[in-house]
C-alpha cells in the first residue's frame, strides 16, 4: 500500500488538537452535521452528533488505518480539572 503522505499530513494536523493534560490544555469538540459525500459511506447520524456536542468531550488520540482517520474522544467529567 502506498504511504499516503496527504493522509498522514492531516493526521499530524489533527494530533495538534489532542488534549495535553501536562500543559493544562483542553480542546473541546464541536461537530457539524452535513450530508455524506457518497450514500455508500457510513457517517454518524445527526442525533449522534448532537449527543457528542451536548456532552463534554475532548480529543485523546488520532489513529490511522490506511486512508481512514479515527478521532478518539473521551468524555470529561465534572471532577476533571
Amino acid at each position: 500500500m502506498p504511504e499516503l503522505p496527504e493522509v498522514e499530513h492531516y493526521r499530524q494536523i489533527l494530533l495538534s488538537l489532542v488534549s495535553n493534560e501536562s500543559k493544562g490544555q483542553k480542546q473541546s469538540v464541536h461537530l457539524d452535521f452535513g450530508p455524506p459525500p457518497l450514500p455508500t459511506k457510513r457517517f454518524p447520524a445527526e442525533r449522534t452528533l448532537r449527543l457528542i456536542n451536548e456532552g463534554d468531550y475532548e480529543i485523546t488520540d488520532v489513529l490511522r488505518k490506511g486512508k481512514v482517520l479515527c478521532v478518539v474522544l473521551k468524555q470529561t467529567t465534572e471532577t476533571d480539572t
Side-chain angles (χ1 to χ4, degrees):
M1 175 170 44
E3 287 297 314
L4 299 170
E6 64 279 6
V7 177
E8 186 60 28
H9 175 73
Y10 282 105
R11 180 179 172 269
Q12 293 299 321
I13 291 172
L14 292 171
L15 275 174
S16 69
L17 299 175
V18 172
S19 298
N20 191 346
E21 294 181 17
S22 63
K23 294 182 180 179
Q25 297 174 335
K26 284 191 173 183
Q27 185 74 15
S28 62
V29 176
H30 178 80
L31 303 173
D32 292 322
F33 184 77
L38 297 172
T40 59
K41 300 291 182 180
R42 184 173 169 208
F43 286 86
E46 188 172 0
R47 179 178 179 270
T48 303
L49 293 179
R50 193 170 34 253
L51 289 172
I52 291 171
N53 288 335
E54 291 171 358
D56 188 17
Y57 287 88
E58 60 187 46
I59 300 171
T60 59
D61 201 1
V62 180
L63 307 174
R64 177 178 166 208
K65 181 71 173 178
K67 62 181 178 178
V68 177
L69 294 175
C70 176
V71 177
V72 181
L73 303 176
K74 174 187 167 193
Q75 189 169 23
T76 59
T77 61
E78 296 296 322
T79 58
D80 290 347
T81 56

